[in-house]
Amino acid sequence: MGCGFCEAALSNTVGTLVVNCVVKPVGRQLDYVCRFHDNVEKLREKKRELADARKRLLFKIEEAKNRLLLIENDVQNLQSRADETLSDMGTLEEEIQLNKRCLNWCPNWSWRYQLSKKAMKKIQDISELLDKFGQLGLVGYPAPTALPTIDFLCSKEFVFSKSSETAFYQIIEALKDENINMIGLWGMGGVGKTTLAREVGSQAQKLILFDKVVITTVSQKPNLERIQDQIAQYIGFGMKNEQGRRSEQELWLRLKNEPRILIILDDIWESINLKEKIGIPIGDDHKGCKVLLTTRRQQVCRAMDCQNVVQLDCLDDDEAWTLFEKKAGLDDFSDDSIKILANQIVRKCRGLPTAIVPLGSALKGKTHHEWQAAYRRLKDRRLTEIEDVNEENAYVCLEASFDYLKNMETKTCFLLCSLFPEDYEIYVENLVGYAWGLELYKGVDSIKDVRSEVLASIENLKNSGLLLDCGESVGTLAAAKENKVAKQNLQN
C-alpha cells in the first residue's frame, strides 16, 4: 500500500517536471513563431506610442528652456533612452522588412523565432519607458543665476551728486535699522529717483544687508497682477491657480519664507495697501522684509507710513555742467563759443538729469550753428517766462532732442514708442509690426529689411538718450512716456 502511494507521487512529480521543464518552454518558443505577425504589429503600435510621447516631451523641454529653466536629469535620461530605443527600432524594422518576402514564401523558422523574440523584448522595453513617461513630473527648474537681479538694471555710468550721495547714505542707514521697514524716496519727475533706488538695491545686496532685492514699477495706473508677477520672478515663485493667477495670500506666505528681502516699489502715485492689494508682508508680519518706495509726491510717503522719508533734489550748477559736459563730449579743447551756448542750455535744464542726458547726447559732435539752433529752440518754447523749476522743462528738452533726430522715420519710431502706456515694455517685434503696417520705411519691401531699419532707429534713439534699454524690450524715458512730446509733434 505504501509502495503504491510512493509510486503515484513519484509519477506525478516526474510529470510536473516534464511539463514545467519541457512542455512549457517548448510552448513559449512555438508561441514566438506562431505569433510572429501579431508581435510585429504590436511592436509598430508601441513605436508610434513612444514617438508621440517623445514628441510631447520635447515640446515641454523647449517650453521650459524658453522660460530659462534647467532640465531635470531624469528627463534628459528619459529622452536619451527614447531616442536610443527608436533608433534600435529602425534597425529591427529594416531586418524584418528585408527578410519579409523570404519569411512568407520560404519560412526560416529559426529566423522567425529570433525576430519575434526580439520584437517581444522591445515591446516590453517600450512599455516600461511609456510607464516612466506617465509618471514624469515637472521637466525643468529655475537656475539661481536665471532669476533677475537688481544689478542687471543698474546704470554702469551712475555718478553721485551731492543730493544723491546724501540720499543714498540716508537710505542705507535706514535699511540697517531694525526698527525701520518702510522708506520713502521722493522728488520731482526726472530728478533720478529710479536710478538712485536701483543703485541702493545693488549696493545693499553687495553689503549683504539682504539675501534678495526685488524691484517693480507701480506707475499711475497700477497693474497689480503684473506687479505680483514681477516680484514672483525675482524669488522664483511660479505657483498659479487654474485661471493663471496667484492670490495675495499665496505671495504673502511665500515672501515670509525669505529671511531678508528688500522690495523696491518705483513710481508710486497713490497710497496702496501692500498686504491686501499685492501680498507684501511688512512690519510685524515679517521683520525681514523692507520696502523702499519712490514717488513724486511727498504725501504718498506720509500716507504709506514711511518711517524714514528722503528727498532727492536736482543737480546743482556744477554737477549739471559736469554731467552735460560728459554727455556732449566737451573738454578743455572744445570751441569756446560752443561752451558758452552749452552753459546757457544747461541752465535751461534746471538741474534735471532726464533733460541733461538726452540733450547732451543729441548735441554731441554738432557744429556751432547746430548748437545755436538748439539754444534758440529751447529759449523760444515756453521757457522765457518760467521762473521756478518744474517738470515741463524736461519735456521741452526732450522735444529739442527729438527735433535733432536726422530722419522722419526715426522720429515716427519714437512717436510710436511714446503712444504706448506708461512703464510699458515695448518689444521690438511690436514696433516692426506697426512699422510694416504703416509703411513707415518707404521702398522697403520685406519684413526682414523693416526689422533692420527699426533696429537702426532704436539704436539712434538710445544713443540720443530718448529710449532706455530693457534687455529684450525698449522703453521710453519717463518724461517721454507722458505722451506730451508725441502729441505736440503730431499736432505740428
Side-chain angles (χ1 to χ4, degrees):
M1 185 72 177
C3 291
F5 176 79
C6 291
E7 288 176 0
L10 181 60
S11 175
N12 288 336
T13 302
V14 171
T16 301
L17 289 172
V18 169
V19 170
N20 291 338
C21 299
V22 178
V23 178
K24 287 186 178 180
V26 170
R28 281 197 297 269
Q29 311 313 314
L30 288 174
D31 195 52
Y32 285 133
V33 177
C34 296
R35 295 182 176 274
F36 170 76
H37 292 293
D38 290 342
N39 291 341
V40 169
E41 186 57 36
K42 187 181 293 185
L43 177 63
R44 288 171 177 161
E45 183 180 341
K46 286 294 182 182
K47 177 192 174 184
R48 287 192 292 269
E49 291 181 27
L50 180 60
D52 290 342
R54 175 183 174 275
K55 185 177 181 180
R56 289 192 296 270
L57 179 62
L58 290 177
F59 177 79
K60 290 181 179 179
I61 290 174
E62 185 65 25
E63 188 180 45
K65 287 181 177 178
N66 289 338
R67 293 165 54 202
L68 301 180
L69 299 178
L70 296 181
I71 307 304
E72 299 281 1
N73 289 334
D74 58 340
V75 173
Q76 297 183 55
N77 293 336
L78 187 58
Q79 180 194 345
S80 298
R81 285 190 60 188
D83 293 342
E84 184 180 346
T85 300
L86 289 172
S87 177
D88 292 344
M89 273 289 302
T91 303
L92 182 57
E93 283 185 319
E94 287 178 7
E95 190 175 349
I96 292 173
Q97 191 64 30
L98 286 172
N99 297 289
K100 185 176 180 181
R101 180 174 298 180
C102 182
L103 287 171
N104 285 334
W105 296 101
C106 183
N108 182 320
W109 302 112
S110 176
W111 231 347
R112 177 169 289 190
Y113 164 76
Q114 293 293 338
L115 289 175
S116 185
K117 188 174 182 180
K118 285 182 180 179
M120 283 300 295
K121 178 65 169 65
K122 193 61 66 177
I123 289 170
Q124 184 179 354
D125 292 343
I126 293 176
S127 296
E128 292 177 359
L129 272 180
L130 290 173
D131 288 341
K132 290 184 179 296
F133 272 100
Q135 299 167 5
L136 200 61
L138 296 175
V139 300
Y141 61 95
T145 54
L147 298 177
T149 63
I150 191 71
D151 282 338
F152 177 77
L153 298 173
C154 288
S155 172
K156 299 297 184 284
E157 298 181 356
F158 178 78
V159 178
F160 276 116
S161 64
K162 292 177 182 177
S163 177
S164 64
E165 184 174 16
T166 300
F168 174 84
Y169 286 111
Q170 286 179 345
I171 296 171
I172 290 294
E173 288 304 312
L175 291 175
K176 293 178 180 179
D177 191 331
E178 295 181 356
N179 298 315
I180 295 177
N181 53 54
M182 182 81 77
I183 303 164
L185 173 63
W186 74 280
M188 63 178 297
V191 78
K193 299 183 297 296
T194 299
T195 303
L196 178 60
R198 290 173 175 175
E199 188 66 21
V200 167
S202 176
Q203 293 301 321
Q205 203 159 22
K206 290 175 182 176
L207 292 171
I208 321 179
L209 298 179
F210 299 94
D211 301 311
K212 290 181 181 176
V213 176
V214 174
I215 184 168
T216 183
T217 303
V218 179
S219 74
Q220 281 181 291
K221 297 180 180 179
N223 183 331
L224 300 178
E225 187 176 347
R226 180 177 64 84
I227 293 170
Q228 288 179 328
D229 285 342
Q230 289 181 339
I231 294 174
Q233 268 190 316
Y234 277 88
I235 61 176
F237 180 48
M239 188 178 75
K240 292 187 177 182
N241 58 26
E242 295 178 355
Q243 287 74 39
R245 301 186 63 182
R246 61 175 61 82
S247 70
E248 291 78 15
Q249 184 177 4
E250 288 170 338
L251 183 60
W252 184 80
L253 290 171
R254 176 63 180 81
L255 285 170
K256 288 189 70 174
N257 289 332
E258 297 293 336
R260 299 181 305 167
I261 184 170
L262 170 64
I263 299 177
I264 300 173
L265 301 176
D266 188 33
D267 195 23
I268 293 184
W269 290 73
E270 294 180 354
S271 177
I272 298 176
N273 188 314
L274 301 182
K275 180 178 180 179
E276 294 180 4
K277 297 295 184 181
I278 302 176
I280 298 176
I282 200 74
D284 293 335
D285 286 337
H286 185 15
K287 294 290 186 180
C289 179
K290 297 197 176 190
V291 172
L292 168 63
L293 64 87
T294 75
T295 179
R296 301 183 187 190
R297 307 170 66 210
Q298 187 179 16
Q299 56 265 42
V300 171
C301 298
R302 291 195 293 264
M304 295 192 66
D305 297 325
C306 292
Q307 294 121 315
N308 190 280
V309 178
V310 179
Q311 182 180 3
L312 182 61
D313 293 321
C314 296
L315 304 177
D316 63 28
D317 291 343
D318 291 338
E319 292 168 339
W321 170 251
T322 299
L323 179 60
F324 185 85
E325 191 178 38
K326 178 181 179 181
K327 292 298 178 182
L330 301 176
D331 54 33
D332 294 338
F333 302 101
S334 298
D335 190 284
D336 288 339
S337 61
I338 288 180
K339 284 187 176 182
I340 293 173
L341 290 169
N343 269 292
Q344 293 172 325
I345 290 173
V346 170
R347 284 198 293 272
K348 295 294 183 184
C349 292
R350 298 293 195 271
L352 286 175
T354 193
I356 295 170
V357 171
L359 192 53
S361 299
L363 289 170
K364 187 175 183 178
K366 302 297 183 181
T367 65
H368 177 265
H369 295 294
E370 289 173 307
W371 278 86
Q372 281 184 320
Y375 177 65
R376 281 196 302 270
R377 291 176 182 177
L378 285 171
K379 181 180 178 182
D380 295 340
R381 297 191 182 185
R382 300 175 303 281
L383 282 176
T384 53
E385 298 179 0
I386 295 179
E387 297 178 359
D388 298 325
V389 177
N390 58 57
E391 295 177 18
E392 189 68 15
N393 294 355
Y395 297 124
V396 175
C397 291
L398 285 167
E399 186 178 3
S401 300
F402 174 88
D403 288 342
Y404 268 93
L405 295 173
K406 291 183 178 179
N407 57 65
M408 193 61 197
E409 289 81 4
T410 302
K411 290 182 177 181
T412 307
C413 185
F414 175 73
L415 294 180
L416 285 174
C417 294
S418 298
L419 294 174
F420 279 82
E422 184 181 1
D423 297 313
Y424 192 91
E425 287 189 4
I426 308 167
Y427 286 89
V428 173
E429 288 306 313
N430 290 346
L431 291 179
V432 171
Y434 288 124
W436 175 259
L438 295 171
E439 298 182 350
L440 177 59
Y441 298 95
K442 304 298 182 183
V444 180
D445 299 321
S446 72
I447 193 75
K448 179 181 178 181
D449 291 339
V450 168
R451 183 179 291 105
S452 178
E453 293 288 344
V454 169
L455 289 172
S457 294
I458 288 172
E459 286 301 316
N460 192 358
L461 291 169
K462 287 195 292 188
N463 291 337
S464 299
L466 290 169
L467 284 183
L468 293 174
D469 198 337
C470 301
E472 294 181 355
S473 60
V474 294
T476 50
L477 283 170
K481 289 179 187 174
E482 302 289 349
N483 295 335
K484 294 187 179 180
V485 177
K487 291 177 182 177
Q488 290 167 359
N489 284 281
L490 286 172
Q491 290 171 356
N492 293 336

